[in-house]
């Protein structure tokens, strides 16, 4: 393969490193790393040639191209050989026109990209297939670590445990005990990972796993590791592909650790560098009001993010106060003329319930995105005719407790105007007829 990708310092220090090196920070300035592709080499094929190749591979079954990630392998991680790839057919997720919900909030052209329709139920699979494949390659070349590890708010751990198990590699996950959904907790247990529940929050788990990685005890699978971002960036490429290689006007993304915001930008940037798109959509980063360090910084005109202690939020996967990828997200917002907005617990519950009434089944994080979208439409920032993509980050089915508590009107401090509890009846024909008549009079 004539293409290659390597690690370089995000802040621009000199030096490049093999992607199989177990390193997570620049050895010179201690800043973040990024994966840099040889764009000149990739430009040996024209835009139309790449588009045709990607369209031919899309959702086909010849290994490994059916995966939405590996179907674009030259742009993602060219040096991993076929037999080393650990893939479970990630990506290729549906992008659908949310006609009824869109019209209700004043939009004619709203689309939802359902990244949660994936192997472990969240977009995290897109990055994890790349990371675990590269780790397998590194181990084949002699890397020695006890396990692959991550701190998680529930979805990263589920994904890492699944891909680790698929490859037969040991996995350790550090979770904030009692702060993730039952489904999310069960996933790594079922896959045989060592699950460590710590009496802290995500940021506390992250600090410990970073130290384990720095001491060489584990290999770090958090999105601080830029390998994850390479896989996740295919969401941007896939959205453009699904619109017949046209860009939408806006992309809304619920964000916590801020890796995915920078991944979207990386995808759009490569499309632009290779001449497939001429400009960027505008990026909206949506945060929960209870975990809003980027919102606070951005709205104060600051370009560095001060850590906060995140308060509990129903959007538990984005309950993060010290986002590791903040500098990457700031770069993405600047390049994509971005906006950062927040949603309260009430607003996210309202948006989730309302969206579900139009046939979606929104996870609370996706609801943060939808609530923020509604604000921007009401404010006139986003116009009726513009094409908007709301990125849905996880499957609603992972958050049953959230749905049940809402419909039982049991979420403290939240008015459940759309609660729809089951109607319990005697097994009696007349009572059933009455109940139908009462609801649909
Ligand atoms: C991980 C996650 C996010 C946040 O992504 P970041 O890259 O941490 O900003 C949002 N929603 C869900 C469901 C997630 O699992
Ligand atoms: Zn550096």
């Amino acid at each position: 393969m004539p293409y290659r990708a390597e690690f370089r310092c995000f802040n621009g220090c000199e030096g490049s490193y093999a992607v199989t090196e177990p390193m997570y920070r620049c050895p010179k300035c201690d800043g973040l790393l990024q994966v840099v592709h040889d764009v000149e080499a990739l430009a040996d094929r024209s835009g139309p040639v790449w588009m045709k190749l990607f369209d031919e591979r899309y959702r086909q079954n010849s290994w490994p191209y059916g995966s939405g990630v590996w179907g674009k392998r030259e742009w993602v991680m060219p040096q991993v050989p076929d037999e080393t790839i650990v893939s479970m057919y990630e990506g290729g997720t549906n992008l659908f026109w949310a006609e009824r919900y869109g019209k209700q909030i004043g939009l004619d052209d709203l689309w939802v990209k359902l990244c949660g329709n994936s192997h472990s139920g969240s977009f995290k699979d897109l990055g994890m297939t790349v990371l675990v494949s590269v780790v397998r390659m590194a181990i084949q070349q002699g890397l020695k670590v006890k396990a692959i590890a991550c701190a998680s708010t529930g979805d990263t751990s589920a994904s890492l445990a699944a891909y680790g198990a698929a490859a037969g590699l040991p996995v350790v996950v550090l979770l904030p005990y009692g702060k993730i959904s039952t489904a999310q907790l069960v996933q790594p247990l079922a896959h045989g990972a060592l699950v460590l529940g710590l009496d802290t929050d995500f940021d506390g788990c992250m600090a410990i796993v970073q130290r384990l990685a720095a001491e060489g005890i584990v290999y770090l699978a958090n999105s601080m590791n830029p390998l994850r971002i390479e896989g996740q960036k295919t969401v941007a490429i896939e959205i453009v592909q699904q619109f017949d290689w046209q860009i939408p006007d806006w992309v809304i993304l619920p964000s916590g650790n801020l890796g995915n915001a920078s991944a979207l930008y990386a995808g759009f940037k490569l499309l632009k560098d290779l001449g497939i798109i001429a400009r960027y959509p505008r990026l909206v980063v949506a945060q929960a009001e209870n975990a809003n360090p980027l919102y606070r910084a951005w709205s104060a005109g600051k370009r560095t993010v001060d850590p906060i202690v995140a308060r509990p939020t129903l959007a538990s996967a984005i309950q993060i106060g010290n986002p590791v990828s903040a500098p990457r997200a700031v770069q993405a917002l600047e390049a994509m003329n971005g906006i950062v907005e927040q949603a309260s617990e009430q607003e996210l519950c309202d948006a989730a319930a309302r969206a579900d009434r139009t046939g979606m089944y929104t996870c609370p994080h996706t609801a943060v995105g939808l609530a923020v979208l509604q604000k921007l439409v009401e404010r006139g920032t986003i116009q009726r005719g513009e094409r908007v993509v709301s990125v849905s980050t996880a499957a609603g089915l992972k958050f049953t407790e959230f749905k049940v508590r809402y419909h039982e009107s049991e979420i403290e401090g939240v008015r459940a105007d759309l609660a729809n509890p089951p109607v319990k009846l005697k097994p009696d024909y007349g009572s059933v007829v009455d109940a139908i008549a009462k609801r649909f009079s």
Side-chain angles (χ1 to χ4, degrees):
M1 180 108 31
Y3 311 113
R4 49 195 220 101
E6 60 195 16
F7 285 149
R8 294 214 197 131
C9 172
F10 178 80
N11 298 323
C13 298
E14 270 191 32
S16 63
Y17 315 92
V19 291
T20 44
E21 287 287 321
M23 57 189 295
Y24 321 101
R25 290 192 174 278
C26 169
K28 297 190 174 131
C29 73
D30 206 37
L32 294 167
L33 294 174
Q34 58 179 334
V35 171
V36 175
H37 288 263
D38 184 347
V39 177
E40 242 167 69
L42 290 169
D44 71 343
R45 301 187 199 188
S46 67
V49 170
W50 283 118
M51 291 187 259
K52 185 163 173 286
L53 179 68
F54 293 162
D55 284 340
E56 280 164 5
R57 290 174 178 170
Y58 194 68
R59 296 185 64 93
Q60 296 302 303
N61 288 311
S62 76
W63 178 267
Y65 298 117
S67 156
V69 173
W70 297 103
K72 298 173 176 71
R73 73 191 301 177
E74 296 86 350
W75 292 23
V76 171
M77 199 46 64
Q79 53 271 64
V80 185
D82 281 7
E83 62 280 6
T84 305
I85 289 173
V86 185
S87 166
M88 289 185 278
Y89 209 96
E90 341 38 50
T93 52
N94 37 335
L95 173 64
F96 71 89
W97 182 31
E99 181 185 9
R100 223 177 130 223
Y101 185 78
K103 296 252 156 80
Q104 286 181 8
I105 64 165
L107 289 175
D108 289 332
D109 205 12
L110 171 63
W111 295 73
V112 175
K113 176 67 170 161
L114 269 184
C115 297
N117 282 4
S118 183
H119 182 74
S120 76
S122 84
F123 77 83
K124 299 295 200 299
D125 294 346
L126 301 169
M128 212 51 83
T129 180
V130 175
L131 182 135
V132 174
S133 299
V134 172
V135 175
R136 175 139 92 174
M137 188 164 76
I139 289 172
Q140 286 166 358
Q141 295 172 8
L143 173 71
K144 287 196 173 39
V145 283
K146 280 205 179 13
I148 315 179
C150 70
S152 180
T153 51
D155 287 329
T156 300
S157 41
S159 185
L160 174 60
Y163 282 81
L169 297 172
V171 167
V172 183
V173 304
L174 280 68
L175 301 173
Y177 196 76
K179 295 192 174 78
I180 68 171
S181 78
T182 306
Q184 289 172 319
L185 174 63
V186 166
Q187 287 179 291
L189 294 174
H191 294 307
L194 172 61
V195 176
L196 304 174
L198 307 191
D199 186 15
T200 178
D201 56 8
F202 169 82
D203 300 293
C205 295
M206 188 67 209
I208 292 179
V209 83
Q210 284 195 56
R211 183 158 165 208
L212 289 172
E215 313 234 324
I217 298 171
V218 299
Y219 182 93
L220 182 68
N222 282 96
S223 59
M224 182 182 163
N225 184 332
L227 294 172
R228 290 258 311 276
I229 292 176
E230 291 313 290
Q232 289 173 203
K233 81 182 182 195
T234 59
V235 172
I237 304 165
E238 205 168 278
I239 288 170
V240 173
Q241 180 177 18
Q242 286 171 304
F243 285 133
D244 296 326
W245 303 101
Q246 303 297 311
I247 57 161
D249 298 303
W250 295 88
V251 180
I252 320 283
L253 184 72
S255 298
N257 218 11
L258 302 175
N260 212 24
S262 70
L264 277 184
Y265 169 54
F268 287 118
K269 181 166 192 312
L270 200 46
L271 284 163
K272 191 158 171 281
D273 288 348
L274 292 168
I276 292 175
I277 61 173
R279 60 187 176 86
Y280 295 128
R282 292 188 68 184
L283 174 67
V284 179
V285 170
Q287 293 213 292
E289 196 177 305
N290 285 355
N292 61 354
L294 179 67
Y295 173 79
R296 290 184 195 201
W298 193 259
S299 46
K302 286 200 284 184
R303 295 300 176 256
T304 53
V305 176
D306 297 325
I308 61 166
V309 175
R311 285 173 289 156
T313 168
L314 294 159
S316 48
I318 54 176
Q319 188 181 323
I320 295 174
N322 188 10
V324 169
S325 286
R328 295 176 175 142
V330 166
Q331 178 196 52
L333 284 161
E334 282 176 341
M336 297 177 71
N337 191 13
I339 293 178
V340 184
E341 189 46 79
Q342 63 179 1
S344 68
E345 299 299 288
Q346 180 71 55
E347 288 165 342
L348 81 86
C349 286
D350 289 342
R354 209 163 155 188
D356 288 359
R357 285 283 180 101
T358 67
M360 291 185 229
Y361 198 67
T362 44
C363 79
H365 325 88
T366 303
V368 167
L370 291 175
V372 159
L373 171 61
Q374 191 174 340
K375 283 188 187 178
L376 295 176
V377 174
E378 282 163 6
R379 209 176 281 164
T381 310
I382 299 183
Q383 311 274 318
R384 173 172 284 278
E386 290 184 293
R387 173 163 286 180
V388 180
V389 176
S390 164
V391 177
S392 176
T393 45
L397 284 168
K398 288 179 113 177
F399 300 91
T400 301
E401 294 101 326
F402 163 68
K403 302 281 186 200
V404 169
R405 285 174 62 213
Y406 179 86
H407 287 288
E408 290 179 345
S409 300
E410 273 180 2
I411 301 178
E412 212 180 305
V414 167
R415 240 184 21 257
D417 292 335
L418 293 177
N420 184 30
V423 180
K424 293 189 188 109
L425 291 179
K426 283 181 300 204
D428 166 63
Y429 182 73
S431 310
V432 171
V433 170
D434 289 349
I436 294 170
K438 193 169 163 215
R439 172 71 72 95
F440 304 109
S441 55

